[in-house]
């Protein structure tokens, strides 16, 4: 079992996801990626990440609904990315 923390990045913009993932991995994290709400739920079920970085505006299910569903079954921490 790995002791490296796993972060699930949920971002539908491929450019933002690529840069963010590269930086998280360079910082020593294991980084998984999902590009939509349903994919995020599947990854949470499959991988049980330690932290989720979640975009609010997602295809399929928005980030707030993904959060509601995850919180019903998982104690994982989460944060919302906000556009500036």
């Amino acid at each position: 079992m790995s002791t490296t923390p796993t972060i699930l990045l949920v971002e539908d913009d491929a450019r933002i996801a690529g840069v963010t993932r590269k930086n998280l991995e360079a910082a020593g994290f294991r980084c998984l990626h999902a590009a939509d709400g349903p994919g995020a739920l599947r990854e949470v079920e499959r991988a049980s990440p330690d932290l989720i970085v979640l975009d609010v505006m997602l295809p399929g299910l928005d980030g707030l609904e993904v959060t509601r569903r995850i919180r019903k079954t998982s104690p994982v921490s989460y944060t919302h990315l906000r556009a500036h």
Side-chain angles (χ1 to χ4, degrees), residues 43-65:
E43 282 297 309
V44 168
E45 186 72 25
R46 182 187 71 77
S48 298
D50 299 297
L51 177 78
I52 299 171
V53 179
L54 180 63
D55 186 5
V56 174
M57 302 288 293
L58 293 169
L61 294 171
D62 68 39
L64 297 176
E65 182 59 27

Side-chain angles (χ1 to χ4, degrees), residues 11-21:
E11 172 57 64
D12 60 323
D13 183 308
R15 185 184 59 78
I16 293 171
V19 169
T20 304
R21 185 175 190 164

Side-chain angles (χ1 to χ4, degrees), residues 10 34-43 54 58-63 66 70:
V10 187
D36 59 25
L41 296 175
R42 285 190 300 272
E43 282 297 309
L54 180 63
L58 293 169
L61 294 171
D62 68 39
V66 170
I70 291 170

Side-chain angles (χ1 to χ4, degrees), residues 21-38:
R21 185 175 190 164
K22 180 179 177 180
N23 285 310
L24 290 170
E25 289 173 344
F29 296 100
R30 177 176 174 239
C31 189
L32 306 174
H33 175 249
D36 59 25

